[in-house]
Amino acid sequence: MTRVLIIDDEAPIRLLCRVNLEAEGMEVSEAADGANGIEIARREQPDVILLDVMMPRLDGWEVADALLRDERTNEIPIIFLTARAEIRDRARGLDIGGVEYITKPFNPLELAPLIEALIERISQGDRDELRGEKLAELRALTRE
Amino acid sequence: MAIRATSLHVQLASLADATRSSDLVLLIGAVLGLFLFVHLALDLFVLRRRRRKRESLAQENRMAAAADLSAALARARGGEEVGRVLLDTLNELIGTDHSGLMLIDEGGTEARGLIARSDGADLDWYSAARIDLISEVSGVRCAYETRTLFFVENALDSSEVNAKLIERAGLKSVAFIPLESERRMIGVVSIGSTTGFLSFTPEQLALMNMLAAEGTLALERTYSLAALERALERERLVSEISRRVRSESDVDRLIEVALAETAEALGASRCFLRLGDPETPAPLRLEWRQEGLDPIPADATPYLSVSNLALRQGRTAAVTDVETSPELADESLGGREALLVLGSRAVLSAPIVLFGAVIGVLAVHAPAVRDWSNDDIAFIEAVAREFGIALYSANLLEENQQRLTQQEGLLAATEAMAGELELDSMLTRRLAGGRADLFRALSTRDVLAESVSQAIALLDADAALLLELEGSELVAHEGSSYGLGEMQGTRFPAAISVAGDLVYSRRPLVIGDLSLQERLETLDPIVREGFQALLGVPLIGSDDSLEGVLLVYSHAARAWRAKETEALVSLAANTAAALANAVLYLRVSFEREQSIAILSSVADGIVAVDREGKIVLWNAAVERSTGISSDEALGRTSVEVLRQELDSGAEQGETSISIKRGGRELWLEVTEATMRDPADQIAGKIYTLRDVSTDRFVEQAKSDFVSSVSHELRAPLTSIYGFAETLLRRGELFDETQRQTFLSYIASESERLTGIVDALLDVAELDSGDLQVELGQTDVAHIVREVVEVARQGESGSNGHEFVIDLGADESLGAEADRDKLRRVLVNLIDNAIKFSPDGGKVTVAGKKRPGVVELRVVDEGVGIPEEERERIFRKFYRGSPSVLRGGTGLGLFISRGLVTAMGGRIWVDSVEGEGSSFVLELVSSEAKGGEE
């Protein structure tokens, strides 16, 4: 069973993700702030983390950085979930080491398939390739 | 006396504070005592003198004799004459028939006969007589050594006298009298009898001593006079050489004469000059030698050991005896042999030093052993000094001569008369000197004044006048006359008057004697003032137009020389050019002032740099925007001043730069343009700097605003859209409770969305001033409870904050407010309080009445707000620092303040950093409002 950790300061968003992912048979845990999220990630070793960027105190960038730096959590793929839609933010997310970037608002029904596909590819060892693809996409966008 | 004096001294010392009468009595006693003592002492002295006088009555004759001798000696000139007077007096008064005087040299080695008298005549042989004071036995030596009179009754038998001399003089009895001056023994007088044996009485011996003392004084005076004369003579010689050095242009001829005179003055056989530095065997430049001597061979210079020594040491070398001098023991100097071969036994040599460097050496040779005196040394050093100057000025003269020749070559060729040449060069000099002054004058008035005063000086004239042509009149302006009284504003018709002639002829007008020209005298008002001569020249401008006339006047008739006319023409030309220069300067400086005035007043910053990039203009706007004064900036480069290159490298264009002002970043938009001089070379650049910091800040804030509004809108949209999609999922996945939760989220987030849109509208209204408030009696307490309740409900789960309402005893707080707007303000403040306090923190809303106002406080337990932020947080788009950032549009407090102000209230923040914030809201109390009505 796929285990997903949602780190977001907004309760409705956490609930939204939880119900939709659980509907697809995933196991979901929540954290309302970054510090709590890092702690849970270390403890529970989720398969994937959905990470909000704009949070008080520790923001998403800092949380991602801390997770990727910690060998207990640096293998867990991070999907940024944020209202920040600018290309430079997306680039930053990937640059830090995230593998996917979902812009709010998003269709919650697509969340689970996206996570599945991601985990599938990563299990095949394509993690860096995946990031490379995303960066290439971004570059293409930037050029436009 | 000493004791008395001391006691008096004590008394006097106490006088200073002698205020009591007893002190005064003591003092008077002391003064009387002293007086008596002095009187007594004087009496004693006089008595003693009288006694002494009585005792010495026997000597009075001697004293008289001495006085006579003294008078006679004073008339005597020269040593021999003095000796003769002395000896004759001695012979006469003592009754002897022979007396002689021998002088002793300074070293005390030899006595030489000066003069001897026998039977009223000189003894010829005596002046050649010598006594060796070291090895020979003699009475002279004895008197010299004992310094006392020495008497031999039988000279022929005595072993203490010089037998040869005694024999030669034929003396039977003889006395030797030492002549001792204050400094030394200068001689010995011998006095005796050739006829029979004599015995001198003590009286006679005393007389001899006395007369000898007189003679000593006279001799010493004579010899010091002689020394003085010799010194003077040498001075004259040096000054003569010096004079020639400064006048003689043929330096070889000069040296030749100087060498001969130096040799003569020092009684030398050779005198020569070598030139060159001590490192080389300075070659012989010129030599003077006595007739019959061979010249020094050219290759002998390395062996001229004494002059080599002087060269090497850079100081005078005096060698008494070449054969024995230890100074010549150093073989590297050249040895003794060469000098001896040249027949030189004594050598004196002085280096020629110029500006601290030895450039040569001067030397004199003497054929016999010679003890060079201090005078000799001083003399040769003086001559050497003059040689140095001579050689130096000879070089200068040569260079100067060349230059003069070049400069004046053409002129001289055309000028035959020496007088004309002199006048010309004088005029040229005066003109050249004045030219710079003319061009230094920067106003026309100064040029005019300078010109007339130069005209006076140039021609030694009595008056001068410069008139400028204006239309058909010649006008005197301020400063344009000299020696003519006030002329300013005087106008002369160009058609008449002397000056008028110049206007038409445009040639110099030369009148040496005006009295011969009646017509002029009646025509020209100035001429009528009593001038006899006049010289006038036209002032021709650069475009060959006549600009005026320059006139000089002389009271006496005067034959103006062609050169003088030419000089005045030149002065007039200089004046015309200087006038044009002054006008140009005036115009340029006016234009410059004008440009500066314009540039300083423009609102944009203007910086101009010269071709080296040095700032030459830094206007007030740049001073204001950068905070750097023009004094600091001028003359430096932009990199030095702004730490930033203004020049983009392009001919022209626009760039943006940022500089630091204090801790603040300043953005400047730079427009540049290149200035080129007429030769199309870059003369400098001019930059306009526009401070776009504010624009940039607003731009940045707007951009941030758009991004945060977008985020603020996206958050509720995500929930609305997400829960809607979730509810639309196929299959019955969610129970009724869950569906209700989803729907309530959709509802509340829609409300949130509305709130954001309302806020944006509020800002738009605040910005445009269209905000409307409907004030009315409002129960503030009620609204507080309402808003807090909503907030409490909104808070759920782990975020849960504690809310406290503290309205004191007052259950109702009436204020003049717009109900809806007040609610929005409270919602904002409480949202902020929640946002900025830790989860589970306490948010307190307190209200109370104060005179005239209702005060509400929203207190949180957050991080607080730093002092410097407390005003800024109310600005549009302001959001907390990133560490506390949590979304938001940055509009809440801006809107709140706008709304509160519109309701006639105030809002501010009290905060202790780290201990939370307290937002204070003050509204007009409805009681106060009611009171007013």
Side-chain angles (χ1 to χ4, degrees):
Chain A
M1 196 171 16
T2 307
R3 288 174 304 129
V4 180
L5 169 61
I6 304 166
I7 308 173
D8 196 315
D9 61 320
E10 300 223 25
I13 308 290
R14 295 199 299 272
L15 179 64
L16 184 66
C17 294
R18 170 188 285 277
V19 294
N20 282 291
L21 293 176
E22 281 178 350
E24 299 291 336
M26 293 183 181
E27 192 179 303
V28 177
S29 41
E30 290 177 31
D33 61 61
N36 201 20
I38 292 168
E39 195 191 313
I40 294 171
R42 283 176 189 158
R43 193 173 64 227
E44 299 185 355
Q45 294 289 314
D47 298 311
V48 70
I49 296 171
L50 288 177
L51 179 58
D52 182 29
V53 174
M54 299 271 273
M55 292 187 293
R57 294 178 287 277
L58 272 187
D59 70 15
W61 310 130
E62 290 164 330
V63 173
D65 193 49
L67 290 172
L68 292 167
R69 239 197 266 244
D70 188 334
E71 56 182 24
R72 288 169 289 182
T73 50
N74 64 359
E75 289 295 314
I76 307 169
I78 296 169
I79 299 172
F80 286 107
L81 192 65
T82 176
R84 295 189 70 121
E86 283 93 350
I87 288 171
R88 63 164 191 263
D89 291 327
R90 296 169 62 175
R92 186 169 173 192
L94 293 170
D95 199 37
I96 285 176
V99 289
E100 186 58 276
Y101 195 101
I102 298 171
T103 309
K104 294 176 185 175
F106 56 92
N107 187 338
L109 275 58
E110 293 169 5
L111 209 52
L114 189 137
I115 292 171
E116 294 287 4
L118 199 69
I119 289 172
E120 179 65 25
R121 284 195 67 174
I122 287 170
S123 67
Q124 287 168 11
D126 288 352
R127 182 179 170 134
D128 288 337
E129 198 183 307
L130 194 66
R131 282 184 57 220
E133 269 171 39
K134 292 291 163 192
L135 282 168
E137 270 173 42
L138 273 173
R139 272 196 287 278
L141 275 171
T142 321
R143 267 197 295 276
E144 272 161 19
Chain B
M1 167 133 185
I3 292 165
R4 280 175 178 270
T6 307
S7 77
L8 176 68
H9 180 75
V10 170
Q11 293 299 331
L12 283 173
S14 67
L15 177 63
D17 47 11
T19 49
R20 290 168 301 161
S21 58
S22 59
D23 284 344
L24 203 60
V25 170
L26 274 174
L27 180 70
I28 291 167
V31 170
L32 278 175
L34 180 70
F35 175 76
L36 286 171
F37 177 84
V38 168
H39 196 77
L40 191 67
L42 274 174
D43 281 352
L44 279 171
F45 178 70
V46 169
L47 282 174
R48 201 177 294 152
R49 256 187 78 107
R50 278 181 192 159
R51 191 164 62 236
R52 194 186 286 167
K53 199 175 178 183
R54 207 164 43 236
E55 283 169 358
S56 64
L57 274 177
Q59 291 185 349
E60 285 197 349
N61 289 333
R62 299 200 297 268
M63 289 170 83
D68 290 344
L69 174 65
S70 176
L73 288 173
R75 286 189 297 273
R77 282 286 167 267
E80 280 185 30
E81 180 69 18
V82 167
R84 192 174 289 122
V85 171
L86 172 66
L87 296 179
D88 284 351
T89 307
L90 277 169
N91 278 341
E92 187 189 332
L93 291 180
I94 309 295
T96 49
D97 59 7
H98 171 96
S99 57
L101 170 58
M102 282 200 151
L103 296 180
I104 296 170
D105 68 0
E106 283 200 33
T109 56
E110 191 181 52
R112 304 172 180 196
L114 177 68
I115 190 168
R117 298 288 283 177
S118 188
D119 291 328
D122 290 356
L123 283 176
D124 290 341
W125 60 268
Y126 197 80
S127 60
R130 297 286 185 275
I131 295 174
D132 186 331
L133 293 177
I134 292 162
S135 54
E136 270 183 288
V137 173
S138 69
V140 171
R141 177 183 173 186
C142 194
Y144 167 74
E145 283 176 352
T146 60
R147 302 189 166 199
T148 47
L149 194 146
F150 171 68
F151 167 58
V152 182
E153 198 170 346
N154 188 348
L156 297 171
D157 287 351
S158 175
S159 59
E160 289 168 297
V161 296
N162 189 298
K164 276 190 287 178
L165 277 180
I166 296 298
E167 195 182 349
R168 187 153 192 190
L171 284 168
K172 295 208 161 57
S173 299
V174 62
F176 297 93
I177 317 157
L179 303 183
E180 184 176 11
S181 79
E182 276 181 25
R183 289 188 303 123
R184 65 182 190 96
M185 293 286 296
I186 62 168
V188 175
V189 165
S190 54
I191 176 171
S193 161
T194 54
T195 52
F197 293 102
L198 273 180
S199 182
F200 299 111
T201 66
E203 283 276 287
Q204 284 174 314
L205 295 176
L207 184 61
M208 284 180 213
N209 267 332
M210 190 167 282
L211 296 176
E214 288 297 330
T216 306
L217 279 175
L219 278 172
E220 199 172 43
R221 197 168 56 233
T222 305
Y223 283 110
S224 54
L225 254 177
L228 196 63
E229 268 173 24
R230 203 161 58 239
L232 270 176
E233 183 52 40
R234 286 180 173 182
E235 265 319 282
R236 273 197 288 275
L237 191 59
V238 170
S239 71
E240 173 63 13
I241 293 172
S242 160
R243 187 186 63 75
R244 290 208 187 151
V245 158
R246 286 162 178 80
S247 61
E248 194 92 37
S249 54
D250 180 350
V251 75
D252 279 350
R253 170 74 193 131
L254 163 77
I255 292 169
E256 210 177 296
V257 172
L259 289 178
E261 286 180 357
T262 305
E264 194 188 344
L266 291 172
S269 52
R270 292 179 192 274
C271 182
F272 60 84
L273 172 71
R274 294 168 63 190
L275 287 183
D277 58 62
E279 302 305 317
T280 59
L284 210 58
R285 173 73 184 262
L286 269 177
E287 183 199 6
W288 176 92
R289 60 193 171 274
Q290 267 178 353
E291 268 179 55
L293 286 177
D294 289 332
I296 299 174
D299 57 2
T301 48
Y303 308 105
L304 298 172
S305 46
V306 182
S307 48
N308 285 344
L309 180 67
L311 268 175
R312 187 186 291 180
Q313 298 189 330
R315 57 181 172 79
T316 305
V319 169
T320 306
D321 185 349
V322 169
E323 272 183 25
T324 59
S325 168
E327 284 178 292
L328 302 183
D330 182 353
E331 282 299 322
S332 70
L333 287 169
R336 310 172 196 271
E337 194 51 37
L339 292 175
L340 294 172
V341 167
L342 288 169
S344 304
R345 190 72 187 272
V347 181
L348 180 60
S349 178
I352 298 169
V353 182
L354 197 58
F355 303 121
V358 175
I359 61 160
V361 67
L362 179 66
V364 291
H365 288 196
V369 171
R370 177 162 172 189
D371 198 5
W372 302 102
S373 68
N374 289 337
D375 280 349
D376 297 337
I377 292 169
F379 177 67
I380 197 168
E381 285 176 349
V383 174
R385 213 159 31 241
E386 291 304 330
F387 268 114
I389 294 166
L391 294 164
Y392 178 63
S393 32
N395 276 342
L396 281 189
L397 271 175
E398 216 164 291
E399 282 173 26
N400 203 35
Q401 198 58 45
Q402 256 172 347
R403 215 167 35 239
L404 279 176
T405 314
Q406 283 164 358
Q407 279 178 354
E408 294 177 359
L410 272 175
L411 203 62
T414 54
E415 298 292 341
M417 290 169 65
E420 278 292 292
L421 192 66
E422 198 174 302
L423 174 70
D424 190 52
S425 75
M426 184 267 287
L427 291 172
T428 310
R429 213 165 44 241
R430 286 182 182 175
L431 269 177
R435 195 176 149 82
D437 288 336
L438 268 182
F439 281 89
R440 248 196 301 280
L442 291 177
S443 72
T444 52
R445 188 221 164 279
D446 290 348
V447 173
L448 294 174
E450 183 64 33
S451 178
V452 292
S453 78
Q454 282 189 24
I456 296 284
L458 187 64
L459 302 178
D460 300 315
D462 298 313
L465 176 63
L466 198 153
L467 299 171
E468 284 177 275
L469 186 65
E470 289 179 10
S472 61
E473 286 180 318
L474 287 163
V475 187
H477 285 290
E478 188 187 0
S480 74
S481 71
Y482 186 96
L484 291 170
E486 185 52 57
M487 293 292 289
Q488 187 182 349
T490 314
R491 290 169 176 270
F492 302 89
I496 54 165
S497 84
V498 172
D501 281 5
L502 275 167
V503 174
Y504 295 107
S505 69
R506 294 177 57 142
R507 312 190 103 129
L509 181 65
V510 187
I511 300 168
D513 191 351
L514 283 159
S515 61
L516 303 175
Q517 311 212 6
E518 266 177 48
R519 180 185 69 91
L520 287 176
E521 203 174 334
T522 52
L523 276 177
D524 194 300
I526 295 166
V527 170
R528 284 205 300 270
E529 296 286 318
F531 291 103
Q532 285 293 306
L534 175 155
L535 182 58
V537 294
L539 230 63
I540 312 282
S542 55
D543 54 353
D544 209 33
S545 63
L546 184 83
E547 299 199 334
V549 297
L550 175 59
L551 301 147
V552 294
Y553 299 90
S554 167
H555 285 300
R558 174 167 174 177
W560 300 104
R561 300 169 79 166
K563 282 286 156 205
E564 292 178 320
T565 311
E566 271 174 42
L568 196 62
V569 168
S570 300
L571 176 60
N574 286 347
T575 304
L579 277 173
N581 185 48
V583 169
L584 189 68
Y585 177 81
L586 195 68
R587 206 177 70 216
V588 168
S589 58
F590 175 72
E591 278 171 7
R592 192 183 126 83
E593 291 298 318
Q594 210 175 29
S595 310
I596 288 175
I598 293 169
L599 290 173
S600 335
S601 63
V602 294
D604 281 342
I606 308 253
V607 174
V609 300
D610 62 16
R611 73 186 80 222
E612 273 90 41
K614 296 262 191 311
I615 293 165
V616 293
L617 177 77
W618 185 265
N619 78 346
V622 189
E623 288 188 334
R624 276 195 301 277
S625 63
T626 60
I628 298 166
S629 76
S630 80
D631 286 346
E632 289 171 74
L634 293 181
R636 300 164 70 202
T637 64
S638 71
V639 177
E640 287 167 345
V641 176
L642 297 174
R643 316 227 162 283
Q644 184 79 41
E645 181 62 81
L646 288 176
D647 190 5
S648 67
E651 185 82 352
Q652 56 186 42
E654 275 187 34
T655 47
S656 283
I657 60 161
S658 77
I659 60 166
K660 289 267 181 280
R661 180 186 177 174
R664 201 154 65 81
E665 194 173 46
L666 199 67
W667 281 92
L668 298 173
E669 194 175 85
V670 183
T671 312
E672 63 183 291
T674 303
M675 299 183 284
R676 287 181 177 277
D677 64 17
D680 206 33
Q681 295 298 302
I682 292 176
K685 283 204 159 196
I686 189 152
Y687 306 94
T688 50
L689 308 182
R690 176 165 294 186
D691 184 353
V692 291
S693 307
T694 316
D695 299 356
R696 257 189 112 88
F697 174 74
V698 171
E699 282 301 315
Q700 185 61 44
K702 272 185 187 164
S703 153
D704 288 352
F705 171 68
V706 169
S707 140
S708 36
V709 166
S710 140
H711 179 264
E712 285 298 291
L713 294 172
R714 278 168 195 272
L717 265 178
T718 306
S719 295
I720 296 164
Y721 172 58
F723 283 114
E725 284 286 355
T726 306
L727 286 168
L728 287 173
R729 279 185 85 103
R730 285 186 198 151
E732 292 293 319
L733 287 168
F734 309 109
D735 59 22
E736 187 53 30
T737 322
Q738 280 181 310
R739 295 163 69 91
Q740 281 301 319
T741 310
F742 299 165
L743 286 170
S744 72
Y745 272 129
I746 291 175
S748 68
E749 291 296 286
S750 298
E751 236 175 78
R752 182 173 160 194
L753 207 52
T754 313
I756 294 166
V757 173
D758 281 348
L760 291 174
L761 286 173
D762 283 343
V763 171
E765 281 181 357
L766 282 171
D767 276 351
S768 63
D770 289 342
L771 184 77
Q772 300 290 321
V773 286
E774 288 168 26
L775 292 180
Q777 266 220 11
T778 309
D779 183 358
V780 176
H782 177 71
I783 293 177
V784 167
R785 287 192 199 96
E786 207 178 274
V787 174
V788 169
E789 192 51 38
V790 172
R792 192 175 277 147
Q793 283 171 8
E795 280 289 308
S796 58
S798 59
N799 290 7
H801 286 83
E802 186 190 341
F803 294 92
V804 177
I805 297 173
D806 174 15
L807 299 172
D810 300 301
E811 280 302 301
S812 74
L813 293 166
E816 281 295 306
D818 180 314
R819 201 177 296 262
D820 188 43
K821 304 259 186 307
L822 177 58
R823 189 179 289 120
R824 293 238 294 279
V825 172
L826 278 173
V827 167
N828 254 329
L829 294 180
I830 290 168
D831 272 357
N832 276 345
I834 294 166
K835 207 191 274 186
F836 291 104
S837 30
D839 290 349
K842 187 166 76 177
V843 175
T844 307
V845 183
K848 65 178 176 189
K849 283 183 192 163
R850 290 205 296 115
V853 293
V854 170
E855 183 190 280
L856 285 178
R857 279 177 181 270
V858 179
V859 185
D860 64 44
E861 294 180 329
V863 291
I865 299 162
E867 174 82 43
E868 67 272 15
E869 300 269 293
R870 282 178 208 162
E871 263 313 298
R872 220 180 287 165
I873 55 173
F874 291 100
R875 286 196 203 150
K876 187 155 64 174
F877 305 131
Y878 181 83
R879 295 185 301 169
S881 56
S883 63
V884 293
L885 186 75
R886 185 183 166 162
T889 53
L891 294 173
L893 287 173
F894 171 72
I895 293 169
S896 299
R897 175 167 275 187
L899 297 178
V900 172
T901 309
M903 289 187 282
R906 296 195 297 147
I907 184 171
W908 71 92
V909 67
D910 288 339
S911 179
V912 177
E913 208 177 338
E915 290 181 25
S917 311
S918 173
F919 282 86
V920 189
L921 185 62
E922 216 177 63
L923 294 167
V924 181
S925 107
S926 40
E927 286 159 22
K929 178 76 180 170
E932 272 169 34
E933 284 162 3

